[in-house]
Amino acid sequence: MQLPTHLLPVLVLLTAQSLGRAWVPGSCRSPIKAQCNFLCDCRDCSDETQCGYNRASPGLGTPFTCDFEQDPCGWQDISTSGYSWVRDRAGAQSEWPVAHTDHTRGTDLGWYMGVGTHRGTEASTAALRSPVLREAGPTCELRLWYHAASGGVVELQLELTHSAETLTLWQSSGPWGPGWQELAVTTGRIQGDFRVTFSATRNATHRGAVALDDVEFWDCGLPTPQATCPLGHHHCKNAACIEPHQLCDGEDNCGDGSDEDPLTCSHHTSTDFETGLGLWSHSEGLAWNLSTGSPKGAAWPHRDHSRNSAQGSFLVSMAKPGNPTILLSPQLQASGSHNCSLIFYHYLHGSKDARLKLLLQMQGPGAPQAPVVLRQRHGELGAAWVRDRVDIRSSHPFWIFLTGETGPGGIVGLDDFILSDHCEIIPGMPLPPEPWLKALCPQQSSLQGSCEPGQLACGDLCVPPEQLCDFQPQCAQGEDERECGTTDFESTAAGGWEDASIGRLQWGRQAAQESSGLGRAAAGHFLSLQRAWGQLRAEARALTPVLGPSGPHCELHMAYYFNSHPQGFLALAVVESGSRELVWQAPGGSSGDWTVDKVLLGAHHRPFRLELVALVDLEGLGQQGAGVDNVTMRDCSPTVTTEKDREVTCNFERDTCGWHLGYLTDVHWHRVESHSSGYDHTTGQGFFMLLDPAKPPTRGRHAHLLTGPQVPAAPEECLSFWFQLHGPRIGTLRLAMWRDGEEEVHLWSGSGTHGNCWHQAWATLHHQLEPSSKYQLLFQGLQDGYNGIMALDDVTVRPGACPAPRRCSFEDSACSFSSGGQALWRRQANASGHATKGPWADHTTETAQGHYMVVDTSPDALPPGHVASLTSEEHWPLLHPACLTFWYHLSLHSPGTLQVRVEEGGQRQTLSISEHGGLAWRLGSMDVQAKQVWRVVFEAVAAGVEHSYIALDDVLLQDGPCPRPGSCDFESGLCGWSHLAWPGLGRYSWDWSSSAAPSRYPRPPVDHTLGTEAGHFAFFETGVLGPGGRAAWLRSEPLPATEASCLRFWYHMGFPEHFYKGELRVLLVSTQGQLAVWAEGGRLRHQWLEAQVEVASTEEFQVVFEATLGGQPVQGPIALDDIEYLSGQHCQWPALSPEDTAVPVSVAATVSGALVFLVFLVLLGLAGWHWLRKGWDWPFRRNKDSTTPSFDNILFNEDQVTLPAAVTSDP
């Protein structure tokens, strides 16, 4: 189970015997002997680095871990082909990453070990091997997370190699679930040196992509020597200390085998099944099979417990439910007043129907006639041998029975039976009478016999397994929903809750009067945390049967008791599709009284299960413990509806109305109140829906906010909403609609930052007015960005169609544009590479997967002079002048003319574009003033040229007049400047904001245009740059070739003094490459500074502002404002003064000066070297509080030299 980080330090709180992880403060032993033995022998734990793990806390409860964030921790690729392991991250892959995120951080900047796609035709195996490890204890557990999509690889395998043999710890051929999957395996006691190898095998038909992350070694160290042992503990020959119950239990807990010495354990009777059944025997009928670790199925044990070897023997049962195999002990008698104890190891894996029972049958006057169940295990316990122990106190002779049964594919195994020295074997006694044996195999009733196996009979019905516990009763008396989690624990069935613990704690039903200190416990029973005999994971786990599907209103109500000091936890998780999500946790420092609480579970697919997880030190000070009672599942049927479910229109001030949180992944929307870094749209101080993809770390791919089924009120409805997408690496927000039996319809989407403000969007819903025509709406936040926020507010539905949208990227639809009767304009993408007419990539995403509108202007499609029209829906009247911008792409062969016409009543405004085509998308714009409703029409007039086309993308209506090309004051947006995130630079984007709008990112206190908090600017927070994030680009529209033009702008760098700063660079990018023409960094004052750059290019180019770092990340913004591009004009250089900003100087005018300056620097350096050799101080050295001019930021470029601000202005 993936528990919160703050819970991990207590996961082995109770296992005091795990002294192998204790910190030994003494001096280090020899390097070889002390290295990689899961013990911190050195004070700094330096002997345990590069051991397949790199870090661990010396305290209990923390594993030795490798998360691959810094290095591979000593893991090495030993593959023999090009199919091999490398340390990688998703952010480094432009497409088809091995995993979209790592597991540690849950982002695409985290690191993992991965095997990428391999296109070879031969079968091959990629193997990743650990360094040499030493001396694993018997409780050692290896946990890791792997990512392998089904169909990607043929087989995954985890092996352990030591001097004696190679053990297969785990092997799987899938299918594997989506996302990261947890694997936990036990190694058993390994003496001496060993290695662990994780391998992936592919063939010619598999891509072979696999990832590995967060490798953890739990409880692997052996106990260290101690001068004295705690009272009651056993002192081993090697001076280690172990608990009394670990003596003669079949495991080498001391590390030298002295606790299992034949002399020490001579009075115990052991059966390891290596040479047969020993004293134990089969009953008639099905028998337990004696087997070894040679695999006979996916769930088969790969090794026994006695020898921890594939050659070792054990007992297995694959008997079907209702017809178990039975193993009998000899007749036994407890000696005197002592208990007869039986230690045994069991294995339940591969089936939720696996069941093992241990029963006691007593004989003699006054003895019970029916067998007594002493122990019962049911379900999946994992591929591990789990220890258990029963203590029998009886004055009567008795037999012990063990029965095993399982579902398809499952295995029940037994090994290492150890009877204590107080168990006396009564020789010569016959087997128990036949009626007792038959009582162990209950027969199905005649009614049940009429149903198929696994079905439930009620009346004349046979309820199939998939309808059990689905929150919709099929039986008249509700028998099919009776043992489905709801319970007061008065019945022994406990509402279907079953213990699945394998450590020193377990969940058990307990009478209140038998409890001590559990609050104000009343009469009756409850589920209590109790001591157990398991040796593996410390936490206790209890699971419900398979549940679901559940509806959005599903809640769990319960009473709980929790008292744990200083650490411990009580939590509830949802287990679904191989993953666990924590949905509730008892608050720390609970009072110790019974408390009533409720948990919203929401909608989940079937199958899912609920899991109670707890860890408490029952032997600690105070009355520590945990209990649960009166569990009730309410409103869990998917058919449960309320009046509120029809409230789609919502401002989220009171609640979420008819919108429900999706619980199909661990990523969730949250209803939050306005705060310092976010505000609502309704009032600025109210509530809104927020999705923060990085808090807490999540592994899901999307978050859902959805309605229940809705009845349409009109043939067309307009859904409008306000949204925010803000941050340097925020993902995609999508609106979709679906109807039963139909595919999901995407209505709208937005990707990447849209600036730090609320935007309105809308979409028209088209319905068929039929009684059964219901629909659902879904807002989906995609986890394709991990730094920023998504927000929603003020959702409204009204009858009628929506007006034309102000923004259209054509990614999800044609935005209600119509192309006339011939439909010559079409929406397309070039992902398949088969699009013969149109650019290879769109403008929005600049990928082949992006969509745009295109018209074929070849003569056979559109004759010369003919027109193809693309017409928008009606726009609302404009209160102020606006700018209509669009991006167009003309084929290399001149396709004709693109005419853009704004129609308002009988008036028309027309823009005509007729030019040579090219490889780039170009920006078009026109000013619009319309006091009435209006439309925009894009017309393609064909020129009769073969293989020609006109394409259109990213139509946008912004307030204010259109700026000149390459210029922007940022008051209405980014104008023609593009902030698209580039994969090669870390996928970071420049943002747009004012100082007045709340934000988590630091910004300048005022803008430059207005000089107020309300003014806007472009900015980038360099503190987000780190591993994998190198820079962010802000790019102009393509600009024509120029002999000399002037770029003027204002910039702001808000960094603290005496720390390394971010750097702002100006690049010219064209088909010939990129050229740096200006740069600035260093310690700058918190104010707006002006700069001018003279640019020249012999071909079409773009200006790029690059924000980057040259050292360690430091929080601080780089901002831009009032960019002005003066085409064909030389820069006018102002006279220098102490208050002036840094201004570039033309290279042609300063080359000779620069050479003289360099010679001066060389002579100055030689003089300084001579001065220092004589031990003299600098005659002009200032005190340390003075700021010395620095020349380390001089940037030599092809056409100019830029001097830093420290030279041209006062410090």
Side-chain angles (χ1 to χ4, degrees):
M1 171 181 177
Q2 182 69 14
L3 294 171
T5 304
H6 66 278
L7 298 183
L8 292 179
V10 296
L11 281 183
V12 288
L13 179 65
L14 303 178
T15 52
Q17 73 275 18
S18 300
L19 300 175
R21 199 179 295 109
W23 175 50
V24 182
S27 60
C28 295
R29 291 175 283 176
S30 62
I32 297 299
K33 187 177 181 180
Q35 185 182 10
C36 302
N37 63 349
F38 311 103
L39 297 173
C40 289
D41 301 281
C42 302
R43 291 182 179 274
D44 60 356
C45 210
S46 58
D47 55 314
E48 299 299 311
T49 59
Q50 297 300 308
C51 298
Y53 49 83
N54 265 354
R55 60 181 177 85
S57 168
L60 293 176
T62 303
F64 286 97
T65 301
C66 180
D67 57 16
F68 301 108
E69 294 302 317
Q70 302 300 324
D71 53 50
C73 307
W75 289 85
Q76 292 183 336
D77 175 70
I78 57 170
S79 310
T80 58
S81 69
Y83 184 56
S84 57
W85 292 88
V86 295
R87 180 171 166 266
D88 203 357
R89 68 189 190 292
Q93 305 295 324
S94 58
E95 59 181 13
W96 302 115
V98 176
H100 291 284
T101 69
D102 78 325
H103 180 263
T104 312
R105 299 184 178 183
T107 75
D108 60 1
L109 291 183
W111 294 82
Y112 51 76
M113 295 299 294
V115 181
T117 301
H118 187 62
R119 305 186 186 279
T121 59
E122 298 294 330
S124 52
T125 297
L128 184 68
R129 190 173 67 183
S130 75
V132 173
L133 304 171
R134 294 177 175 84
E135 299 292 346
T139 61
C140 181
E141 184 179 41
L142 171 60
R143 305 183 201 176
L144 56 85
W145 291 82
Y146 67 93
H147 188 291
S150 293
V153 288
V154 176
E155 183 180 74
L156 297 177
Q157 187 167 262
L158 184 67
E159 294 179 317
L160 186 150
T161 302
H162 61 99
S163 58
E165 63 177 315
T166 295
L167 302 175
T168 300
L169 302 181
W170 173 77
Q171 188 175 24
S172 176
S173 298
W176 301 286
W180 288 97
Q181 305 290 306
E182 186 181 21
L183 172 63
V185 296
T186 57
T187 68
R189 174 74 173 100
I190 305 294
Q191 297 183 5
D193 297 351
F194 66 94
R195 292 178 184 264
V196 177
T197 304
F198 189 88
S199 60
T201 301
R202 64 168 296 280
N203 60 24
T205 62
H206 291 72
R207 292 179 57 243
V210 184
L212 177 71
D213 203 1
D214 289 332
V215 180
E216 300 175 345
F217 292 88
W218 289 82
D219 293 317
C220 292
L222 290 169
T224 56
Q226 305 291 330
T228 60
C229 292
L231 183 64
H233 283 55
H234 174 73
H235 212 167
C236 306
K237 289 183 179 180
N238 61 3
C241 299
I242 64 171
E243 295 190 55
H245 68 267
Q246 296 178 299
L247 191 64
C248 302
D249 68 344
E251 293 192 330
D252 177 17
N253 298 290
C254 287
D256 62 354
S258 60
D259 55 319
E260 303 299 318
D261 184 85
L263 293 178
T264 304
C265 306
S266 59
H267 298 292
H268 293 68
T269 304
S270 301
T271 304
D272 59 12
F273 304 108
E274 295 301 322
T275 57
L277 297 181
L279 299 173
W280 299 76
S281 60
H282 292 303
S283 68
E284 295 182 3
L286 291 176
W288 289 84
N289 295 318
L290 195 64
S291 182
T292 62
S294 301
K296 299 176 178 62
W300 200 269
H302 290 281
R303 53 215 158 96
D304 75 331
H305 176 264
S306 313
R307 299 167 54 186
N308 196 25
S309 169
Q311 282 71 50
S313 298
F314 47 85
L315 296 181
V316 294
S317 171
M318 293 181 290
K320 295 180 180 179
N323 191 22
T325 55
I326 303 174
L327 187 69
L328 302 98
S329 72
Q331 192 172 38
L332 301 170
Q333 176 77 56
S335 61
S337 61
H338 298 284
N339 291 340
C340 170
S341 299
L342 170 66
I343 294 175
F344 64 99
Y345 290 83
H346 57 280
Y347 178 101
L348 278 73
H349 183 43
S351 173
K352 63 180 179 60
D353 297 320
R355 187 182 299 273
L356 173 69
K357 284 185 181 181
L358 187 147
L359 306 99
L360 183 71
Q361 178 64 66
M362 291 175 281
Q363 185 185 35
Q369 296 299 307
V372 179
V373 177
L374 298 184
R375 191 74 80 241
Q376 181 172 234
R377 302 306 305 266
H378 179 233
E380 173 66 66
L381 298 184
W385 291 101
V386 182
R387 180 181 62 195
D388 205 346
R389 169 176 162 171
V390 291
D391 296 324
I392 303 168
R393 174 171 292 185
S394 172
S395 59
H396 303 284
F398 57 87
W399 287 274
I400 298 174
F401 301 85
L402 290 107
T403 68
E405 58 187 67
T406 186
I411 295 293
V412 178
L414 291 172
D415 202 2
D416 284 335
F417 285 21
I418 304 172
L419 290 166
S420 69
D421 52 357
H422 298 293
C423 299
E424 296 181 358
I425 299 173
I426 303 177
M429 291 300 296
L431 294 177
E434 188 67 23
W436 292 350
L437 297 179
K438 290 184 178 180
L440 302 179
C441 304
Q443 301 296 315
Q444 291 182 331
S445 66
S446 59
L447 179 61
Q448 183 68 38
S450 64
C451 295
E452 297 293 329
Q455 294 183 340
L456 174 69
C458 59
D460 296 331
L461 292 177
C462 290
V463 182
E466 60 270 16
Q467 292 183 351
L468 300 177
C469 299
D470 65 350
F471 308 112
Q472 301 182 68
Q474 310 294 324
C475 302
Q477 303 299 319
E479 296 93 328
D480 55 321
E481 303 297 320
R482 189 164 292 168
E483 307 298 336
C484 302
T486 294
T487 180
D488 58 7
F489 295 104
E490 298 308 314
S491 166
T492 56
W497 290 88
E498 289 191 325
D499 179 65
S501 310
I502 57 176
R504 295 298 310 281
L505 292 174
Q506 65 182 5
W507 288 102
R509 183 172 162 270
Q510 182 175 342
Q513 56 269 26
E514 298 174 0
S515 64
S516 59
L518 285 184
R520 295 184 293 272
H525 292 78
F526 64 97
L527 194 64
S528 171
L529 194 63
Q530 304 170 359
R531 295 175 179 86
W533 295 105
Q535 85 282 23
L536 301 176
R537 292 193 179 191
E539 68 271 19
R541 301 166 54 239
L543 288 159
T544 65
V546 171
L547 307 175
S550 62
H553 301 287
C554 184
E555 290 183 338
L556 181 139
H557 294 242
M558 65 177 175
Y560 72 91
Y561 164 86
F562 177 62
N563 185 17
S564 177
H565 303 287
Q567 292 176 314
F569 64 87
L570 172 65
L572 180 73
V574 174
V575 183
E576 187 174 13
S577 301
S579 63
R580 289 172 170 84
E581 181 188 359
L582 195 71
V583 295
W584 174 86
Q585 182 183 345
S590 296
S591 63
D593 295 328
W594 284 93
T595 305
V596 176
D597 205 349
K598 65 179 180 180
V599 184
L600 178 64
L601 301 176
H604 288 274
H605 291 309
R606 184 182 181 93
F608 75 93
R609 306 173 78 182
L610 300 180
E611 182 181 52
L612 274 172
V613 190
L615 183 66
V616 173
D617 185 2
L618 297 180
E619 299 176 358
L621 299 176
Q623 297 176 337
Q624 300 190 44
V628 174
D629 202 0
N630 297 334
V631 179
T632 306
M633 307 281 287
R634 298 183 185 177
D635 299 327
C636 287
S637 171
T639 62
V640 172
T641 59
T642 66
E643 287 292 326
K644 190 184 296 184
D645 289 338
R646 293 195 289 269
E647 297 180 11
V648 178
T649 295
C650 189
N651 62 11
F652 303 106
E653 295 301 314
R654 183 185 71 246
D655 50 33
T656 60
C657 309
W659 294 89
H660 308 294
L661 304 181
Y663 287 91
L664 303 181
T665 73
D666 64 344
V667 192
H668 303 306
W669 290 88
H670 298 277
R671 177 176 168 267
V672 299
E673 192 172 6
S674 299
H675 50 279
S676 59
S677 61
Y679 62 102
D680 83 320
H681 174 262
T682 312
T683 66
Q685 298 178 343
F687 290 82
F688 61 101
M689 299 303 296
L690 175 69
L691 175 61
D692 187 338
K695 294 184 179 180
T698 52
R699 277 89 195 177
R701 294 291 295 150
H702 44 71
H704 288 164
L705 183 67
L706 67 161
T707 68
Q710 304 294 316
V711 177
E716 289 184 333
E717 293 179 301
C718 179
L719 173 72
S720 67
F721 58 94
W722 290 82
F723 73 94
Q724 270 201 46
L725 285 169
H726 169 47
R729 293 187 75 244
I730 192 60
T732 300
L733 176 63
R734 179 180 292 162
L735 171 65
M737 178 178 69
W738 79 81
R739 300 180 179 89
D740 287 340
E742 298 183 11
E743 291 186 1
E744 184 176 279
V745 178
H746 291 172
L747 302 175
W748 175 92
S749 71
S751 296
T753 181
H754 283 50
N756 185 23
C757 67
W758 287 97
H759 299 271
Q760 188 178 23
W762 47 79
T764 300
L765 313 178
H766 300 278
H767 304 298
Q768 295 178 353
L769 295 182
E770 299 177 357
S772 60
S773 178
K774 294 185 177 181
Y775 68 94
Q776 286 183 272
L777 296 172
L778 165 70
F779 281 107
Q780 192 176 48
L782 303 183
Q783 288 277 70
D784 50 357
Y786 302 95
N787 201 315
I789 63 168
M790 295 183 189
L792 285 169
D793 205 359
D794 294 330
V795 181
T796 305
V797 175
R798 61 171 179 80
C802 296
R806 296 177 67 92
R807 180 191 303 262
C808 182
S809 66
F810 302 109
E811 291 305 309
D812 296 285
S813 69
C815 304
S816 300
F817 276 93
S818 59
S819 59
Q822 298 183 23
L824 296 177
W825 286 88
R826 67 183 184 276
R827 175 176 166 268
Q828 76 171 27
N830 197 23
S832 64
H834 297 150
T836 57
K837 300 294 190 301
W840 75 272
D842 75 328
H843 176 262
T844 312
T845 69
E846 298 190 16
T847 67
Q849 288 72 39
H851 290 79
Y852 51 84
M853 300 297 293
V854 67
V855 59
D856 185 357
T857 55
S858 301
D860 55 345
L862 191 66
H866 283 228
V867 177
S869 299
L870 185 67
T871 306
S872 74
E873 289 284 350
E874 287 185 340
H875 285 267
W876 284 337
L878 299 175
L879 299 178
H880 305 284
C883 177
L884 176 68
T885 63
F886 54 92
W887 290 81
Y888 63 94
H889 195 289
L890 307 180
S891 58
L892 288 173
H893 305 285
S894 299
T897 302
L898 174 63
Q899 294 183 346
V900 186
R901 189 170 66 249
V902 172
E903 298 179 347
E904 178 193 4
Q907 301 180 5
R908 294 187 175 186
Q909 299 173 244
T910 303
L911 170 69
S912 183
I913 300 174
S914 180
E915 58 188 40
H916 293 291
L919 299 175
W921 287 90
R922 294 184 173 91
L923 178 65
S925 63
M926 63 184 302
D927 291 298
V928 180
Q929 300 185 47
K931 297 182 180 181
Q932 305 176 39
V933 294
W934 58 280
R935 299 176 187 268
V936 59
V937 182
F938 294 94
E939 290 183 339
V941 183
V945 178
E946 292 286 351
H947 309 296
S948 61
Y949 62 83
I950 296 175
L952 182 70
D953 203 359
D954 289 328
V955 180
L956 174 64
L957 184 67
Q958 289 183 300
D959 294 331
C962 295
R964 293 194 303 269
S967 302
C968 190
D969 63 8
F970 299 106
E971 292 307 314
S972 299
L974 295 178
C975 308
W977 291 83
S978 170
H979 59 176
L980 181 68
W982 281 55
L985 298 176
R987 294 187 172 92
Y988 284 100
S989 297
W990 283 74
D991 217 328
W992 175 78
S993 181
S994 68
S995 301
S999 175
R1000 66 179 59 174
Y1001 305 106
R1003 292 150 299 159
V1006 297
D1007 80 325
H1008 178 262
T1009 310
L1010 305 179
T1012 68
E1013 291 184 349
H1016 293 79
F1017 44 80
F1019 80 101
F1020 180 73
E1021 166 49 47
T1022 60
V1024 302
L1025 294 176
R1030 300 199 301 271
W1033 276 15
L1034 184 68
R1035 293 177 296 156
S1036 74
E1037 62 190 275
L1039 300 171
T1042 178
E1043 292 184 359
S1045 295
C1046 185
L1047 176 70
R1048 183 183 301 156
F1049 58 92
W1050 290 81
Y1051 66 97
H1052 184 286
M1053 290 185 173
F1055 296 95
E1057 291 289 338
H1058 307 300
F1059 285 93
Y1060 187 83
K1061 310 305 173 289
E1063 185 178 16
L1064 177 64
R1065 306 173 68 201
V1066 178
L1067 311 176
L1068 302 185
V1069 178
S1070 67
T1071 58
Q1072 295 181 353
Q1074 65 185 46
L1075 176 67
V1077 296
W1078 183 90
E1080 188 62 273
R1083 295 181 288 276
L1084 296 177
R1085 294 169 294 181
H1086 293 250
Q1087 66 182 62
W1088 288 99
L1089 303 173
E1090 184 184 18
Q1092 297 185 91
V1093 181
E1094 215 168 80
V1095 297
S1097 178
T1098 58
E1099 62 178 15
E1100 188 178 58
F1101 68 99
Q1102 289 177 286
V1103 176
V1104 174
F1105 286 98
E1106 181 185 72
T1108 185
L1109 286 175
Q1112 293 299 317
V1114 58
Q1115 192 174 51
I1118 296 177
L1120 287 170
D1121 205 358
D1122 294 329
I1123 301 175
E1124 189 176 14
Y1125 179 71
L1126 304 174
S1127 179
Q1129 300 182 28
H1130 288 279
C1131 292
Q1132 301 298 317
W1133 309 112
L1136 293 179
S1137 69
E1139 289 77 21
D1140 284 334
T1141 61
V1143 292
V1145 184
S1146 171
V1147 168
T1150 60
V1151 169
S1152 59
L1155 292 175
V1156 172
F1157 180 67
L1158 288 175
V1159 172
F1160 170 74
L1161 286 179
V1162 172
L1163 294 175
L1164 185 64
L1166 291 174
W1169 173 77
H1170 179 71
W1171 198 282
L1172 288 176
R1173 287 194 62 186
K1174 293 185 175 293
W1176 298 337
D1177 200 356
W1178 291 101
F1180 47 85
R1181 176 179 290 179
R1182 300 180 183 179
N1183 62 46
K1184 64 180 180 180
D1185 295 327
S1186 301
T1187 303
T1188 303
S1190 171
F1191 299 97
D1192 58 351
N1193 289 322
I1194 297 176
L1195 178 67
F1196 292 89
N1197 296 313
E1198 182 176 304
D1199 58 351
Q1200 67 177 37
V1201 176
T1202 302
L1203 303 183
V1207 176
T1208 59
S1209 62
D1210 288 339

